[in-house]
């Protein structure tokens, strides 16, 4: 896949001066360094369905952008494009069951799964509200509510997210990184998918999966689960369960 962008002196100068200008939308200054990572652009070839198009037309973005945050990870300015689509969302977090180790679930995404896991593994459980809305609509989290949620979790020795969305939103590790701490063993050999939101945790995640008994024959980091699903893959996202494909949660023996 082509990931090259011609870095011209003019582009370097434009970027270098950005911090000194009053800029509302840095995408207007960039040729689209991120577009080779955008699943909707790669599948359509339509520039309107790329970060550049979404940065200019929020109505299209709200509907078509997958809110996968891939472009944010590629953008040299760290421009958080999906956070510009909608107004800030408030989140709230409550501890359902205290514990040294706490599983954190979103009320809409994976609460049932987390309740079952937490009971079986004997861990604490916390439920957060509002995270699904952020990844459905594209919105920042209201800072005060994020701070409060983190304060509530700070009493636990270790808090891990059951979904990539909660991990990304709260800045806590995904459960897949702590399989050993949770005493989880998995027996699987075959292709696996790394979720868009967990790309930055890739190395730790692969090591933990391998230590737990996963033997990947192929690691797919390009596809977004919201756009394409492969029946023979092992997925790490709880939302993959809705598509009837296998996830790491199906391999956990209780
Ligand atoms: S998000 Fe960043 S890399 Fe992508 S077009 Fe905008 S400024 Fe460029
Ligand atoms: S969040 Fe994903 S789908 Fe949306 S513009 Fe960025 S890379 Fe493309």
């Amino acid at each position: 896949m082509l990931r090259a962008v011609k870095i011209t002196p003019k582009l370097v100068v434009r970027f270098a001066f950005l911090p000194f200008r009053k800029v509302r939308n840095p995408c207007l200054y960039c040729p689209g360094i991120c577009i080779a990572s955008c699943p909707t652009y790669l599948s359509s070839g339509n520039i309107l369905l790329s970060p550049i198009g979404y940065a200019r037309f929020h109505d299209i973005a709200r509907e078509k952008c997958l809110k996968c945050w891939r472009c944010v990870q590629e953008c040299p300015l760290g421009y958080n494009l999906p956070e510009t689509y909608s107004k800030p969302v408030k989140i709230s977090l409550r501890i359902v069951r205290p514990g040294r180790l706490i599983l954190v679930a979103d009320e809409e995404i994976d609460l049932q799964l987390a309740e079952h896991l937490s009971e079986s593994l004997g861990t604490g459980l916390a439920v957060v509200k509002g995270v699904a809305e952020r990844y459905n609509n594209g919105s920042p989290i209201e800072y005060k509510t994020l701070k409060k949620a983190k304060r509530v979790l700070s009493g636990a020795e270790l808090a891990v997210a059951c979904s990539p969305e909660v991990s990304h939103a709260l800045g806590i590790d995904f459960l897949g990184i702590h399989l050993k701490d949770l005493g989880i063993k998995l027996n699987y050999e075959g292709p696996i998918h790394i979720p868009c939101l967990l790309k930055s945790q890739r190395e730790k995640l692969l090591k933990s999966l391998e230590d737990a008994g996963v033997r990947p024959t192929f690691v797919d980091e390009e596809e977004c689960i919201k756009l394409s699903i492969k029946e023979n893959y092992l997925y790490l996202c709880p939302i993959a369960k809705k598509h009837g494909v296998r996830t790491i949660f199906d391999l956990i023996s209780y």
Side-chain angles (χ1 to χ4, degrees):
M1 183 186 301
L2 187 66
R3 281 195 186 272
V5 167
K6 198 173 174 194
I7 308 292
T8 61
K10 197 174 161 198
L11 180 64
V12 172
V13 171
R14 279 165 99 187
F15 266 48
F17 279 94
L18 272 180
F20 306 104
R21 307 176 71 145
K22 216 176 177 184
V23 175
R24 284 188 59 211
N25 187 344
C27 281
L28 295 172
Y29 294 80
C30 172
I33 289 167
C34 59
I35 64 172
S37 68
C38 174
T40 56
Y41 175 70
L42 294 176
S43 65
S44 68
N46 182 348
I47 198 75
L48 264 184
L49 305 183
S50 79
I52 292 182
Y54 298 142
R56 286 152 183 77
F57 305 104
H58 279 177
D59 286 345
I60 299 175
R62 280 184 203 104
E63 195 199 329
K64 301 284 185 190
C65 169
L66 303 173
K67 292 91 184 177
C68 66
W69 259 256
R70 279 178 176 263
C71 53
V72 182
Q73 299 174 57
E74 300 293 330
C75 174
L77 300 171
Y79 183 54
N80 213 323
L81 174 62
E83 292 198 352
T84 63
Y85 303 153
S86 304
K87 57 181 183 353
V89 61
K90 289 185 171 70
I91 61 166
S92 60
L93 185 144
R94 68 188 164 89
I95 303 282
V96 177
R97 194 169 31 253
R100 184 188 68 80
L101 197 157
I102 290 190
L103 299 188
V104 189
D106 177 76
E107 202 174 63
E108 264 185 62
I109 300 171
D110 54 353
L111 179 54
Q112 228 183 340
L113 171 78
E115 274 173 343
H116 184 56
L117 257 182
S118 151
E119 266 175 38
S120 311
L121 300 171
T123 68
L125 176 67
V127 181
V128 64
K129 201 174 168 180
V131 168
E133 189 185 332
R134 164 174 161 84
Y135 294 96
N136 288 337
N137 301 339
S139 42
I141 300 176
E142 202 181 274
Y143 181 66
K144 270 192 204 164
T145 65
L146 178 62
K147 218 170 136 191
K148 194 172 167 197
K150 287 187 170 189
R151 210 169 39 238
V152 176
L153 280 182
S154 64
E157 206 172 287
L158 179 64
V160 294
C162 293
S163 66
E165 288 86 351
V166 170
S167 167
H168 189 256
L170 298 183
I172 59 175
D173 283 349
F174 175 59
L175 166 144
I177 288 178
H178 292 279
L179 296 170
K180 201 173 164 193
D181 298 307
L182 291 159
I184 295 174
K185 286 269 168 219
L186 305 170
N187 185 12
Y188 171 81
E189 182 166 354
I192 66 167
H193 174 260
I194 300 281
C196 304
L197 294 172
L198 296 183
K199 277 190 92 178
S200 62
Q201 302 179 37
R202 177 191 191 276
E203 300 308 327
K204 284 198 263 177
L205 194 51
L206 285 177
K207 166 115 188 31
S208 167
L209 286 168
E210 283 172 21
D211 289 348
V214 173
R215 298 171 300 282
T217 51
F218 176 66
V219 179
D220 185 343
E221 308 173 60
E222 301 298 336
E223 299 281 355
C224 177
I225 196 172
K226 293 180 185 167
L227 210 56
S228 93
I229 291 272
K230 304 261 189 337
E231 277 181 12
N232 62 332
Y233 277 18
L234 177 67
Y235 286 92
L236 308 183
C237 304
I239 59 165
K241 284 171 93 57
K242 289 184 193 151
H243 300 277
V245 288
R246 191 171 27 184
T247 69
I248 53 167
F249 304 101
D250 301 311
L251 301 184
I252 300 173
S253 45
Y254 303 104

